[in-house]
């Protein structure tokens, strides 16, 4: 598969590049961005995350996209699908985990909905999975609303990494 680029009215979703390393570090080091995900990440963890993104594309032909504003080229976040093989959590069969994260100054402007909708349209057209799933902190009401607007339904409360999470599942759309 060639490198996919997804464009919306305001956004471009593209594969990560080496020059995104500082953007990834800044995104994942921001306590406001990761407050529902975990602790802020240091440079080593952010570098490993970037390598996981690139590796996912190499191994599977899909993964996480860097999200940038089309008008400015500014890096504003990430959306994608992945097999995280989380300890203590068995992925639902015929499913891949979806996720999204935006820089603090970019939240509340509809970018998350726009990027996530574009991602899911691409997943539905391109990948053969019967469904996608996501794990969201129960206190993250905005992310749960976004998931539900995309067609996700609550399936269970699970524990991952010692924290409670809501498992949401979405059937593939034709």
């Amino acid at each position: 598969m060639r490198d996919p680029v997804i464009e919306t009215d305001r956004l471009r979703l593209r594969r990560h590049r080496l020059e995104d390393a500082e953007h990834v570090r800044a995104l994942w080091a921001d306590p406001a961005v990761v407050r529902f995900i975990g602790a802020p990440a240091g440079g080593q963890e952010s570098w490993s995350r970037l390598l996981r993104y690139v590796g996912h594309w190499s191994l599977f032909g899909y993964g996480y996209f860097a999200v940038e504003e089309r008008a400015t080229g500014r890096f504003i976040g990430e959306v994608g699908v992945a097999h995280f093989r989380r300890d203590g959590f068995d992925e639902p069969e015929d499913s891949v985990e979806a996720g999204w994260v935006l820089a603090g100054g970019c939240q509340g402007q509809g970018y998350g909905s726009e990027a996530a909708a574009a991602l899911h349209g691409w997943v539905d057209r391109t990948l053969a999975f019967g469904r996608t799933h996501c794990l969201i902190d129960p206190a993250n009401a905005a992310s749960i609303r976004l998931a539900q607007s995309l067609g996700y339904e609550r399936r269970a409360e699970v524990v991952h990494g010692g924290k409670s999470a809501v498992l949401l599942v979405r059937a593939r759309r034709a």
Side-chain angles (χ1 to χ4, degrees):
M1 174 185 297
R2 63 178 179 77
D3 286 355
V5 174
I6 303 167
E7 292 191 340
T8 68
D9 289 342
R10 300 183 297 166
L11 304 175
R12 179 176 296 110
L13 284 63
R14 57 160 178 79
R15 286 178 58 170
H16 286 80
R17 302 183 291 243
L18 184 58
E19 54 267 25
D20 293 324
E22 181 56 31
H23 300 301
V24 172
R25 189 207 59 74
L27 179 71
W28 290 95
D30 184 342
V33 170
V34 300
R35 70 186 178 276
F36 296 114
I37 301 170
Q44 180 178 342
E45 172 55 30
S46 296
W47 177 249
S48 293
R49 181 178 294 277
L50 178 63
L51 295 177
R52 283 193 303 269
Y53 294 155
V54 173
H56 232 85
W57 282 99
S58 294
L59 291 174
F60 299 110
Y62 53 86
Y64 265 67
F65 291 90
V67 179
E68 60 187 22
E69 288 178 319
R70 283 181 60 184
T72 64
R74 178 174 66 133
F75 181 97
I76 65 167
E78 302 168 339
V79 297
V81 292
H83 296 287
F84 290 118
R85 304 205 182 228
R86 299 178 185 277
D87 291 337
F89 175 74
D90 293 325
E91 285 185 357
E93 194 171 317
D94 190 28
S95 185
V96 65
E97 185 173 333
W100 43 86
V101 62
L102 289 177
C106 300
Q107 296 174 4
Q109 300 175 45
Y111 288 137
S113 297
E114 191 173 331
L119 166 72
H120 283 78
W122 178 82
V123 167
D124 289 344
R125 288 187 309 276
T126 308
L127 304 182
F129 293 99
R131 55 192 173 162
T132 52
H133 67 276
C134 55
L135 296 171
I136 301 175
D137 185 307
N140 190 346
S143 195
I144 291 172
R145 279 193 307 274
L146 173 54
Q148 290 172 329
S149 76
L150 294 166
Y152 282 88
E153 297 177 359
R154 287 177 184 250
R155 286 292 166 86
E157 290 266 338
V158 298
V159 176
H160 163 65
K163 290 180 61 181
S164 178
V166 178
L167 170 64
L168 297 106
V169 177
R170 175 187 179 270
R172 180 180 183 186
R173 296 185 178 165

